[in-house]
Amino acid sequence: MGHIDELWRYDGRRAVVTGCASGIGEHVVRQLTELGADVVGFDKRRPAFELNDFREVDLADPASIDRAVTSIDGHVDALFNIAGVSSGIGDPQLIVAINFLGMRHFTEALVAKMPAGSSIVSVSSLAAAGYREHLREVAPLLDTASMADGIDWCARHPDTLGTGYQLSKEAIILYTMRNATPLGARGIRINCTGPGVTETPILDQLRTAYGQGFLDDIPKPLGRVSEPAEQATVLLFLNSHAASYISGQVIWVDGGNVGAAIARELEEGRAPWPV
């Protein structure tokens, strides 16, 4: 095996994956296994496929998260925060609790088990592409001290909360950027991705809630939706040694959607981001 191959491999590395039972998480587990990782999968339900080490967790319940993290013996080299729900479930506070507050609680509980050289990657969304425009609105949620404080903040700010989905995914991006420096001081990298429309169970939630037309109206410069395996590959890259100098970034895995939007703004003579 050559040096380049070794950069992509996970031999001897322990990886934790939330949302392992389906969609992008399932494909991350399958690819990690092929690359030699020792995988610990977490979800609310057991995967239908074989997974040697599975633990249940409810990311809306801090006590469940604490039990799950305590159950992990030894160190963790790579964390994949993939579990999430869409606005289709119709409960904005629960969406924020699972997508951001639970993710944050899980990450911060697990970091103590992560040595220098380890890494974290989380899944945001194309829906968060305007995160720069909403820094002031999202920052107070980032500043909350606990899940309970975060839920209370959401209850007091219904206009900012909205459906919960965009807010939760913007918070993931800003949390990633905010933590690049403090985690970097410990030798830990942190990044996130912004998937475009991807064929997962979350897409089924959206179809049920809003209809196929809602999905068809989202621009797709490549002319198709993403397969979950395509999203998984980028997540594995970001937590691999091949990405050893990448931290604090959001990588848009959206088939060109964000780039096309910026190009349209340039053509219209508008600044492509707030100045």
Side-chain angles (χ1 to χ4, degrees), residues 121-160:
V121 69
S122 307
V123 175
S124 179
S125 170
L126 177 61
Y131 71 95
R132 291 171 180 257
E133 301 170 14
H134 306 135
L135 296 174
R136 291 182 178 84
E137 291 84 354
V138 181
L141 177 62
L142 297 178
D143 291 337
T144 58
S146 66
M147 288 188 67
D149 289 343
I151 292 297
D152 180 64
W153 182 89
C154 289
R156 290 185 287 105
H157 297 85
D159 291 341
T160 303

Coordinates of all heavy atoms in Angstrom, one line a residue, residues 121-160:
V121 N -16.6 15.7 12.0 CA -17.3 16.3 10.8 C -18.8 16.1 11.1 O -19.2 15.2 11.6 CB -16.9 15.6 9.5 CG1 -17.4 14.1 9.5 CG2 -17.4 16.4 8.3
S122 N -19.5 17.2 10.7 CA -20.9 17.2 10.9 C -21.6 17.5 9.6 O -21.0 18.1 8.7 CB -21.3 18.3 12.0 OG -20.6 18.1 13.2
V123 N -22.9 17.3 9.6 CA -23.7 17.5 8.4 C -24.6 18.6 8.5 O -25.6 18.6 9.4 CB -24.5 16.2 8.0 CG1 -25.4 16.5 6.8 CG2 -23.5 15.0 7.7
S124 N -24.4 19.7 7.8 CA -25.3 20.8 7.7 C -26.3 20.6 6.5 O -26.7 19.5 6.3 CB -24.5 22.2 7.6 OG -25.4 23.3 7.6
S125 N -26.5 21.7 5.8 CA -27.4 21.5 4.6 C -27.3 22.7 3.7 O -26.9 23.8 4.1 CB -28.9 21.5 5.2 OG -29.8 21.6 4.2
L126 N -27.7 22.5 2.5 CA -27.8 23.6 1.5 C -28.8 24.7 2.0 O -28.6 25.8 1.7 CB -28.3 23.0 0.2 CG -28.5 24.0 -1.0 CD1 -27.2 24.8 -1.3 CD2 -29.1 23.3 -2.2
A127 N -29.7 24.3 2.8 CA -30.7 25.2 3.4 C -30.0 26.3 4.2 O -30.6 27.3 4.5 CB -31.7 24.5 4.2
A128 N -28.8 26.0 4.6 CA -28.0 27.0 5.5 C -27.1 27.8 4.7 O -26.2 28.5 5.3 CB -27.3 26.2 6.6
A129 N -27.2 27.9 3.4 CA -26.2 28.6 2.5 C -26.2 30.1 2.8 O -25.2 30.7 2.6 CB -26.6 28.4 1.0
G130 N -27.2 30.6 3.4 CA -27.3 32.0 3.8 C -26.8 32.3 5.2 O -27.2 33.4 5.8
Y131 N -26.0 31.4 5.8 CA -25.6 31.6 7.2 C -24.9 32.9 7.5 O -25.1 33.4 8.6 CB -24.8 30.4 7.6 CG -23.4 30.4 7.0 CD1 -22.3 30.9 7.8 CD2 -23.1 29.9 5.8 CE1 -21.0 31.0 7.2 CE2 -21.8 29.9 5.2 CZ -20.8 30.4 6.0 OH -19.5 30.4 5.5
R132 N -24.2 33.4 6.5 CA -23.5 34.7 6.8 C -24.5 35.8 7.1 O -24.1 36.8 7.8 CB -22.6 35.1 5.6 CG -21.4 34.2 5.4 CD -20.8 34.5 4.0 NE -19.6 33.7 3.7 CZ -18.3 34.1 3.8 NH1 -18.1 35.3 4.3 NH2 -17.3 33.3 3.5
E133 N -25.6 35.8 6.4 CA -26.6 36.8 6.6 C -27.3 36.8 7.9 O -28.0 37.7 8.3 CB -27.6 36.8 5.5 CG -27.0 36.9 4.1 CD -28.0 36.6 3.0 OE1 -29.2 36.5 3.3 OE2 -27.6 36.4 1.8
H134 N -27.2 35.7 8.6 CA -28.0 35.4 9.9 C -27.1 35.3 11.1 O -27.5 34.7 12.1 CB -28.9 34.2 9.7 CG -29.7 34.3 8.5 ND1 -29.9 33.2 7.6 CD2 -30.5 35.3 8.0 CE1 -30.7 33.6 6.7 NE2 -31.1 34.8 6.8
L135 N -25.8 35.8 11.0 CA -24.9 35.6 12.1 C -25.5 36.1 13.5 O -25.4 35.4 14.5 CB -23.6 36.3 11.8 CG -22.8 35.8 10.7 CD1 -21.6 36.7 10.4 CD2 -22.3 34.3 10.9
R136 N -26.0 37.3 13.4 CA -26.5 37.9 14.7 C -27.7 37.2 15.2 O -27.9 37.1 16.5 CB -26.8 39.4 14.4 CG -25.6 40.3 14.1 CD -26.0 41.7 13.9 NE -24.8 42.6 13.7 CZ -24.3 42.8 12.6 NH1 -24.7 42.1 11.5 NH2 -23.2 43.5 12.4
E137 N -28.5 36.6 14.4 CA -29.7 35.9 14.8 C -29.4 34.6 15.4 O -30.0 34.1 16.4 CB -30.7 35.7 13.7 CG -31.4 37.0 13.2 CD -30.5 37.7 12.2 OE1 -29.4 37.3 11.9 OE2 -31.0 38.7 11.6
V138 N -28.4 33.9 14.9 CA -28.0 32.5 15.3 C -27.1 32.5 16.5 O -27.1 31.6 17.3 CB -27.4 31.7 14.1 CG1 -27.1 30.3 14.6 CG2 -28.4 31.7 12.9
A139 N -26.2 33.6 16.6 CA -25.2 33.6 17.7 C -25.8 33.4 19.1 O -25.2 32.6 19.9 CB -24.5 34.9 17.6
P140 N -27.0 34.0 19.4 CA -27.5 33.7 20.8 C -27.8 32.2 21.1 O -27.6 31.8 22.2 CB -28.7 34.6 20.9 CG -28.5 35.6 19.9 CD -27.8 35.0 18.8
L141 N -28.2 31.5 20.0 CA -28.4 30.1 20.2 C -27.1 29.4 20.5 O -27.0 28.5 21.4 CB -29.1 29.5 19.0 CG -29.3 27.9 19.0 CD1 -30.3 27.5 20.2 CD2 -29.9 27.5 17.7
L142 N -26.1 29.7 19.8 CA -24.7 29.2 20.0 C -24.3 29.4 21.5 O -23.5 28.6 22.0 CB -23.7 29.7 19.0 CG -23.9 29.4 17.6 CD1 -22.9 30.1 16.7 CD2 -23.9 27.9 17.3
D143 N -24.7 30.6 22.0 CA -24.2 31.0 23.3 C -24.9 30.3 24.5 O -24.5 30.4 25.6 CB -24.3 32.5 23.5 CG -23.4 33.3 22.6 OD1 -22.3 32.7 22.2 OD2 -23.7 34.4 22.3
T144 N -26.0 29.6 24.2 CA -26.7 28.9 25.3 C -25.8 27.8 25.9 O -25.0 27.2 25.2 CB -28.0 28.2 24.8 OG1 -27.7 27.3 23.7 CG2 -29.0 29.3 24.2
A145 N -26.0 27.6 27.2 CA -25.1 26.7 27.9 C -25.5 25.2 27.9 O -24.6 24.4 28.2 CB -25.0 27.2 29.3
S146 N -26.7 24.9 27.6 CA -27.2 23.5 27.6 C -28.3 23.3 26.7 O -28.8 24.3 26.1 CB -27.6 23.2 29.1 OG -28.8 24.0 29.4
M147 N -28.7 22.1 26.5 CA -29.9 21.8 25.7 C -31.1 22.5 26.2 O -31.9 23.0 25.5 CB -30.1 20.3 25.6 CG -29.1 19.5 24.8 SD -29.5 17.8 24.5 CE -31.0 18.0 23.5
A148 N -31.3 22.4 27.6 CA -32.5 23.0 28.1 C -32.5 24.5 27.9 O -33.5 25.1 27.5 CB -32.5 22.8 29.6
D149 N -31.3 25.2 28.0 CA -31.2 26.6 27.7 C -31.5 26.9 26.3 O -32.2 27.9 25.9 CB -29.8 27.1 28.1 CG -29.6 27.2 29.6 OD1 -30.6 27.1 30.3 OD2 -28.4 27.3 29.9
G150 N -31.1 26.0 25.4 CA -31.3 26.2 24.0 C -32.8 26.1 23.6 O -33.3 26.9 22.8
I151 N -33.5 25.1 24.2 CA -34.9 24.9 23.9 C -35.7 26.1 24.5 O -36.6 26.6 23.8 CB -35.4 23.6 24.6 CG1 -34.8 22.4 23.9 CG2 -36.9 23.6 24.5 CD1 -35.2 22.3 22.4
D152 N -35.3 26.6 25.6 CA -35.9 27.8 26.2 C -35.7 29.0 25.3 O -36.7 29.8 25.1 CB -35.3 28.1 27.6 CG -36.0 29.3 28.2 OD1 -37.2 29.2 28.5 OD2 -35.3 30.3 28.5
W153 N -34.5 29.2 24.8 CA -34.2 30.3 23.8 C -35.1 30.2 22.6 O -35.7 31.2 22.2 CB -32.8 30.3 23.4 CG -32.4 31.4 22.5 CD1 -32.0 32.7 22.9 CD2 -32.5 31.4 21.1 NE1 -31.8 33.5 21.8 CE2 -32.1 32.7 20.7 CE3 -32.8 30.5 20.2 CZ2 -32.0 33.1 19.3 CZ3 -32.8 30.8 18.8 CH2 -32.4 32.1 18.4
C154 N -35.3 29.0 22.1 CA -36.1 28.8 20.9 C -37.6 29.2 21.2 O -38.3 29.8 20.4 CB -36.1 27.3 20.4 SG -34.5 26.8 19.7
A155 N -38.1 28.8 22.4 CA -39.4 29.1 22.8 C -39.7 30.6 22.9 O -40.8 31.1 22.6 CB -39.8 28.4 24.1
R156 N -38.6 31.3 23.2 CA -38.7 32.8 23.4 C -38.4 33.6 22.1 O -38.6 34.8 22.1 CB -37.7 33.3 24.5 CG -38.2 32.8 25.9 CD -37.3 33.4 27.0 NE -35.9 32.7 27.0 CZ -34.8 33.3 26.6 NH1 -34.8 34.5 26.0 NH2 -33.7 32.6 26.7
H157 N -38.0 32.9 21.1 CA -37.7 33.5 19.8 C -38.3 32.8 18.6 O -37.6 32.3 17.7 CB -36.2 33.6 19.6 CG -35.5 34.4 20.7 ND1 -35.1 33.9 21.9 CD2 -35.1 35.8 20.7 CE1 -34.5 34.9 22.6 NE2 -34.6 36.0 21.9
P158 N -39.7 32.7 18.6 CA -40.3 32.0 17.5 C -40.1 32.5 16.1 O -40.0 31.7 15.2 CB -41.8 32.1 17.9 CG -41.9 33.3 18.7 CD -40.6 33.4 19.5
D159 N -39.9 33.8 16.0 CA -39.6 34.3 14.6 C -38.3 33.8 14.1 O -38.2 33.5 12.9 CB -39.7 35.8 14.6 CG -41.1 36.4 14.9 OD1 -42.0 35.6 14.7 OD2 -41.2 37.5 15.3
T160 N -37.3 33.8 14.9 CA -36.0 33.3 14.5 C -36.0 31.8 14.4 O -35.4 31.2 13.4 CB -34.9 33.7 15.6 OG1 -34.9 35.1 15.7 CG2 -33.5 33.2 15.1

